[in-house]
Amino acid sequence: MEPDADELVFDSSYLRIYKNGKVDRLHRPPLLAAGVDDATGVVSKDVVLDDGTGLFVRVFLPKVQDQELGKKLPVLVYFHGGGFIIESADSATYHNYLNSVSAAAGVLVVSVDYRLAPENPLPAGYDDSWAALQWAVSAHADDWITEHGDTARVFVAGDSAGGNIVHDVLLRASSNKGPRIEGAIMLHPFFGGSTAIDGESDEAVYIASKVWPFACPGAVNGVDDPRMNPTAPGAPALEKLGCERLLVCTAQEDWLVARGRAYYGAVAASAWRGSAAWHETEGEGHVFFLRDPGCDKAKQLMDRVVAFIASA
């Protein structure tokens, strides 16, 4: 073993990365079982999609009595954040958040528990997310989806690394001729590059330069890999995004805000035929709505997400 194999190369309150490939996951919210949520009345269950890899989804169904008779619900496929390294679909963070989304927006949510790096380097997480999306829109995916879900109204959403995954599945949906995605929501998406862009901090460049190569050691051009830097030279044209509407949400104090703004601007300036919208929260940081879901600004962001889904 190299004498410096245990050298710490990245340290944060959420995780530590070592030169030898080891990771310490410091952010470990409690795991919650699926079931009935007393606060919202939403019921959830877990469905295993692949016994071999452990891929599963948590499906959330709002109160049936709240649904109009005979009217099916939009299906929202959600990808959690965590730098591709931490978090899960059954963590308290995402279980509680998606109970709220399901209830507020009146949607059937499919939350994807994709494999994490470094044990399963990217593209494993991308592949799992794509497989889960395809499963969600398949003819016989699940009895809840069959009975209550409108697979003609499919949305994809994710925060941070999950927002990055949204970009990947949109390109796959376009190149693979489906499934049809009505709308996509990126919440504080995790993008980066080797050189700082306008408004981007040195800290943001540093974090991306350490986390991305660790999660995706086979990346082309390092942090300028098109999956991490969608505006890098040679990246797939943004006009190929496979959805009809897009909402990019940023926060003024988020270390990723410059990349989120740039992504929205690049899409809006491209030849993409869809409708792009942007929402920025003043005075808040990265994924603040997960840390403090009851604050006024988190409620305003939830209202924006609900309105986006409701718009036909």
Side-chain angles (χ1 to χ4, degrees):
M1 181 180 291
E2 297 179 32
D4 59 348
D6 286 331
E7 177 186 343
L8 187 65
V9 297
F10 179 75
D11 189 10
S12 76
S13 59
Y14 289 90
L15 58 91
R16 296 192 186 108
I17 296 173
Y18 296 86
K19 186 176 180 179
N20 64 3
K22 186 179 76 170
V23 60
D24 291 334
R25 294 180 170 96
L26 307 177
H27 177 72
R28 290 180 175 272
L31 304 182
L32 299 182
V36 178
D37 180 59
D38 292 336
T40 61
V42 172
V43 62
S44 58
K45 67 176 179 179
D46 294 338
V47 181
V48 176
L49 304 191
D50 190 323
D51 289 320
T53 64
L55 171 63
F56 77 88
V57 296
R58 178 161 291 185
V59 185
F60 297 81
L61 182 68
K63 285 183 182 179
V64 174
Q65 58 263 39
D66 288 348
Q67 302 173 29
E68 296 179 27
L69 188 63
K71 183 179 180 181
K72 292 193 172 186
L73 306 173
V75 175
L76 173 67
V77 181
Y78 194 92
F79 314 109
H80 68 77
F84 308 104
I85 298 169
I86 61 173
E87 277 291 359
S88 63
D90 55 357
S91 80
T93 301
Y94 289 97
H95 180 80
N96 292 332
Y97 176 65
L98 292 173
N99 273 322
S100 298
V101 171
S102 181
V107 293
L108 189 154
V109 179
V110 177
S111 179
V112 184
D113 194 74
Y114 55 86
R115 286 171 290 171
L116 299 177
E119 295 84 356
N120 298 280
L122 292 170
Y126 289 134
D127 293 342
D128 287 350
S129 299
W130 175 244
L133 173 61
Q134 291 180 299
W135 173 84
V137 300
S138 62
H140 306 290
D142 176 79
D143 55 345
W144 284 9
I145 296 176
T146 301
E147 184 176 353
H148 301 289
D150 181 358
T151 53
R153 294 203 67 207
V154 173
F155 293 81
V156 292
D159 65 281
S160 197
N164 178 293
I165 292 174
V166 167
H167 172 74
D168 184 77
V169 299
L170 291 179
L171 290 177
R172 293 192 188 208
S174 175
S175 61
N176 290 279
K177 301 187 185 302
R180 174 186 174 271
I181 299 172
E182 178 178 331
I185 303 167
M186 295 181 175
L187 301 163
H188 308 178
F190 182 27
F191 296 124
S194 59
T195 305
I197 61 174
D198 186 35
E200 186 175 26
S201 67
D202 292 339
E203 177 195 18
V205 176
Y206 172 77
I207 293 173
S209 73
K210 298 299 182 182
V211 174
W212 172 253
F214 186 71
C216 190
V220 178
N221 296 327
V223 77
D224 285 322
D225 183 292
R227 293 166 293 186
M228 187 60 179
N229 186 355
T231 59
L238 293 173
E239 66 190 62
K240 296 180 179 179
L241 294 179
C243 65
E244 298 170 13
R245 298 189 286 122
L246 173 68
L247 173 63
V248 180
C249 299
T250 57
Q252 186 181 32
E253 302 302 323
D254 182 7
W255 58 276
L256 287 171
V257 63
R259 291 285 171 175
R261 290 171 180 165
Y263 183 88
Y264 166 76
V267 172
S270 75
W272 181 59
R273 295 182 179 181
S275 172
W278 176 51
H279 176 90
E280 184 161 305
T281 303
E282 294 183 359
E284 296 290 349
H286 191 56
V287 296
F288 73 93
F289 56 93
L290 296 177
R291 296 192 308 273
D292 189 7
C295 72
D296 288 343
K297 290 179 181 178
K299 293 176 181 177
Q300 292 168 10
L301 178 58
M302 178 70 78
D303 289 345
R304 185 66 184 89
V305 169
V306 169
F308 177 81
I309 293 172
S311 301

